[in-house]
Amino acid sequence: MKLLDDKVCLITGAASARGIGKATAKLFAAHGARIVILDLDAGQAEEAARDIGAGHLGLACDVTDKAACQAAAEEATARFGRIDVLVNNAGITQPLKIMEIGPENYDAVTDVNLRGTLYMSQAVIPGMRQQHSGSIVCMSSVSAQRGGGIFGGPHYSAAKSGVLGLQKAMARELGPDGVRVNSVTPGLIQTDITGGKLTPELKVEIAKGIPLNRLGFADDVANACLFLASDLSSYITGAVIDVNGGMLIH
């Protein structure tokens, strides 16, 4: 059973080969979706779209630039006629301590993670309101819930916490329009965002604190995104789904 037949799904920050965005794009495509991959570099976005298969689109988009988000949404709509799903996946992290966070660090991390989520959502909302349907999935982090302690610094925790507040407020406002907004909070997922800092020894050490006794894979997060994007979750909005192997049990 294909859960996203003929749905048009836009995923930000999805060109990185080992990333959550790319894994989500592949899974969505396998479920019948037409994919629009957005990333900073047009060439990489196009290559990632080709890699998924024929009929998908790759576009350059800096999510911190409101006009760029608008242009990407317009291009996707012009090509495919509508946007059914947005996954706000683009994000960056920095492993800094509280006193090391400079203005430029704060701006960089907050801009991509939080402002980018706002701008890209604003770009797709009018179309979703018009068709009276849509699903927006926001990427937060277990770091937002437990106050860091993984790889990102306090400013990353703050930005990802901001994503949760923004997502819940959007869910409340957009519910009457038939648009659902939910978040995923991944734990420690083995992607390139950690910049090679995840040594085999560290992996073993971290796994000891996780009930399921392993680190996450990008596909683990992609599966949760598929659930939230599809009609399986048609009565779910404003929710936060933990994908952390039990690292944080509330």
mmCIF file of all heavy atoms in Angstrom, residues 205-223:
data_model
loop_
_atom_site.group_PDB
_atom_site.id
_atom_site.type_symbol
_atom_site.label_atom_id
_atom_site.label_comp_id
_atom_site.label_asym_id
_atom_site.label_seq_id
_atom_site.Cartn_x
_atom_site.Cartn_y
_atom_site.Cartn_z
ATOM 1 N N GLU A 205 29.250 3.960 24.391
ATOM 2 C CA GLU A 205 28.974 4.659 25.648
ATOM 3 C C GLU A 205 27.558 5.252 25.649
ATOM 4 O O GLU A 205 26.803 5.097 26.608
ATOM 5 C CB GLU A 205 30.026 5.778 25.832
ATOM 6 C CG GLU A 205 30.174 6.290 27.248
ATOM 7 C CD GLU A 205 30.378 5.181 28.285
ATOM 8 O OE1 GLU A 205 31.193 4.275 28.054
ATOM 9 O OE2 GLU A 205 29.685 5.241 29.308
ATOM 10 N N ILE A 206 27.198 5.912 24.542
ATOM 11 C CA ILE A 206 25.885 6.555 24.446
ATOM 12 C C ILE A 206 24.765 5.510 24.430
ATOM 13 O O ILE A 206 23.727 5.692 25.065
ATOM 14 C CB ILE A 206 25.809 7.450 23.176
ATOM 15 C CG1 ILE A 206 26.756 8.647 23.327
ATOM 16 C CG2 ILE A 206 24.392 7.948 22.941
ATOM 17 C CD1 ILE A 206 26.980 9.434 22.050
ATOM 18 N N ALA A 207 24.989 4.402 23.722
ATOM 19 C CA ALA A 207 23.966 3.356 23.599
ATOM 20 C C ALA A 207 23.575 2.777 24.964
ATOM 21 O O ALA A 207 22.447 2.334 25.158
ATOM 22 C CB ALA A 207 24.447 2.246 22.669
ATOM 23 N N LYS A 208 24.503 2.835 25.913
ATOM 24 C CA LYS A 208 24.216 2.317 27.264
ATOM 25 C C LYS A 208 23.061 3.070 27.926
ATOM 26 O O LYS A 208 22.351 2.517 28.756
ATOM 27 C CB LYS A 208 25.462 2.438 28.156
ATOM 28 C CG LYS A 208 26.536 1.425 27.856
ATOM 29 C CD LYS A 208 27.756 1.654 28.760
ATOM 30 C CE LYS A 208 28.912 0.758 28.364
ATOM 31 N NZ LYS A 208 30.175 1.181 29.015
ATOM 32 N N GLY A 209 22.890 4.334 27.541
ATOM 33 C CA GLY A 209 21.828 5.142 28.146
ATOM 34 C C GLY A 209 20.517 5.118 27.360
ATOM 35 O O GLY A 209 19.600 5.874 27.647
ATOM 36 N N ILE A 210 20.456 4.253 26.335
ATOM 37 C CA ILE A 210 19.260 4.177 25.484
ATOM 38 C C ILE A 210 18.608 2.810 25.655
ATOM 39 O O ILE A 210 19.234 1.790 25.367
ATOM 40 C CB ILE A 210 19.648 4.406 23.994
ATOM 41 C CG1 ILE A 210 20.294 5.785 23.826
ATOM 42 C CG2 ILE A 210 18.429 4.277 23.090
ATOM 43 C CD1 ILE A 210 20.851 6.058 22.436
ATOM 44 N N PRO A 211 17.344 2.764 26.132
ATOM 45 C CA PRO A 211 16.686 1.473 26.347
ATOM 46 C C PRO A 211 16.734 0.522 25.149
ATOM 47 O O PRO A 211 16.906 -0.682 25.333
ATOM 48 C CB PRO A 211 15.244 1.875 26.683
ATOM 49 C CG PRO A 211 15.406 3.189 27.383
ATOM 50 C CD PRO A 211 16.525 3.883 26.656
ATOM 51 N N LEU A 212 16.601 1.034 23.939
ATOM 52 C CA LEU A 212 16.670 0.148 22.768
ATOM 53 C C LEU A 212 18.107 -0.196 22.383
ATOM 54 O O LEU A 212 18.356 -0.901 21.392
ATOM 55 C CB LEU A 212 15.920 0.751 21.573
ATOM 56 C CG LEU A 212 14.390 0.765 21.694
ATOM 57 C CD1 LEU A 212 13.741 1.314 20.432
ATOM 58 C CD2 LEU A 212 13.831 -0.625 21.993
ATOM 59 N N ASN A 213 19.054 0.330 23.160
ATOM 60 C CA ASN A 213 20.463 -0.081 23.085
ATOM 61 C C ASN A 213 21.137 0.129 21.728
ATOM 62 O O ASN A 213 21.992 -0.640 21.322
ATOM 63 C CB ASN A 213 20.580 -1.562 23.493
ATOM 64 C CG ASN A 213 21.996 -1.924 23.910
ATOM 65 O OD1 ASN A 213 22.710 -1.085 24.475
ATOM 66 N ND2 ASN A 213 22.420 -3.141 23.612
ATOM 67 N N ARG A 214 20.713 1.162 21.002
ATOM 68 C CA ARG A 214 21.406 1.509 19.757
ATOM 69 C C ARG A 214 21.169 2.973 19.425
ATOM 70 O O ARG A 214 20.213 3.574 19.908
ATOM 71 C CB ARG A 214 20.933 0.636 18.593
ATOM 72 C CG ARG A 214 19.495 0.885 18.146
ATOM 73 C CD ARG A 214 19.184 0.134 16.857
ATOM 74 N NE ARG A 214 17.803 0.258 16.432
ATOM 75 C CZ ARG A 214 17.335 1.255 15.659
ATOM 76 N NH1 ARG A 214 18.141 2.252 15.261
ATOM 77 N NH2 ARG A 214 16.057 1.281 15.290
ATOM 78 N N LEU A 215 22.029 3.509 18.585
ATOM 79 C CA LEU A 215 21.804 4.847 18.058
ATOM 80 C C LEU A 215 20.803 4.755 16.915
ATOM 81 O O LEU A 215 20.571 3.673 16.373
ATOM 82 C CB LEU A 215 23.114 5.452 17.552
ATOM 83 C CG LEU A 215 23.938 6.213 18.605
ATOM 84 C CD1 LEU A 215 24.327 5.308 19.756
ATOM 85 C CD2 LEU A 215 25.183 6.802 17.969
ATOM 86 N N GLY A 216 20.208 5.881 16.562
ATOM 87 C CA GLY A 216 19.206 5.878 15.509
ATOM 88 C C GLY A 216 19.805 5.950 14.113
ATOM 89 O O GLY A 216 20.951 6.370 13.929
ATOM 90 N N PHE A 217 19.003 5.540 13.142
ATOM 91 C CA PHE A 217 19.362 5.685 11.736
ATOM 92 C C PHE A 217 18.429 6.710 11.103
ATOM 93 O O PHE A 217 17.320 6.930 11.601
ATOM 94 C CB PHE A 217 19.241 4.348 11.002
ATOM 95 C CG PHE A 217 20.146 3.273 11.538
ATOM 96 C CD1 PHE A 217 19.629 2.225 12.294
ATOM 97 C CD2 PHE A 217 21.510 3.322 11.305
ATOM 98 C CE1 PHE A 217 20.466 1.234 12.801
ATOM 99 C CE2 PHE A 217 22.360 2.349 11.810
ATOM 100 C CZ PHE A 217 21.844 1.298 12.562
ATOM 101 N N ALA A 218 18.867 7.310 10.010
ATOM 102 C CA ALA A 218 18.045 8.303 9.313
ATOM 103 C C ALA A 218 16.678 7.724 8.950
ATOM 104 O O ALA A 218 15.659 8.414 9.034
ATOM 105 C CB ALA A 218 18.771 8.798 8.060
ATOM 106 N N ASP A 219 16.634 6.440 8.594
ATOM 107 C CA ASP A 219 15.370 5.794 8.223
ATOM 108 C C ASP A 219 14.376 5.748 9.387
ATOM 109 O O ASP A 219 13.160 5.761 9.180
ATOM 110 C CB ASP A 219 15.617 4.362 7.716
ATOM 111 C CG ASP A 219 16.220 4.352 6.315
ATOM 112 O OD1 ASP A 219 16.152 5.403 5.637
ATOM 113 O OD2 ASP A 219 16.766 3.321 5.903
ATOM 114 N N ASP A 220 14.895 5.664 10.611
ATOM 115 C CA ASP A 220 14.010 5.661 11.785
ATOM 116 C C ASP A 220 13.192 6.952 11.840
ATOM 117 O O ASP A 220 12.004 6.943 12.164
ATOM 118 C CB ASP A 220 14.825 5.528 13.076
ATOM 119 C CG ASP A 220 15.512 4.175 13.212
ATOM 120 O OD1 ASP A 220 14.886 3.158 12.852
ATOM 121 O OD2 ASP A 220 16.660 4.132 13.682
ATOM 122 N N VAL A 221 13.843 8.049 11.523
ATOM 123 C CA VAL A 221 13.174 9.355 11.539
ATOM 124 C C VAL A 221 12.264 9.493 10.326
ATOM 125 O O VAL A 221 11.142 9.989 10.423
ATOM 126 C CB VAL A 221 14.206 10.504 11.578
ATOM 127 C CG1 VAL A 221 13.493 11.841 11.706
ATOM 128 C CG2 VAL A 221 15.174 10.309 12.745
ATOM 129 N N ALA A 222 12.740 9.019 9.178
ATOM 130 C CA ALA A 222 11.952 9.080 7.943
ATOM 131 C C ALA A 222 10.610 8.355 8.109
ATOM 132 O O ALA A 222 9.571 8.827 7.648
ATOM 133 C CB ALA A 222 12.737 8.469 6.775
ATOM 134 N N ASN A 223 10.627 7.220 8.816
ATOM 135 C CA ASN A 223 9.394 6.451 9.038
ATOM 136 C C ASN A 223 8.368 7.257 9.825
ATOM 137 O O ASN A 223 7.166 7.221 9.531
ATOM 138 C CB ASN A 223 9.701 5.145 9.772
ATOM 139 C CG ASN A 223 10.402 4.129 8.883
ATOM 140 O OD1 ASN A 223 10.216 4.126 7.672
ATOM 141 N ND2 ASN A 223 11.223 3.278 9.471
#
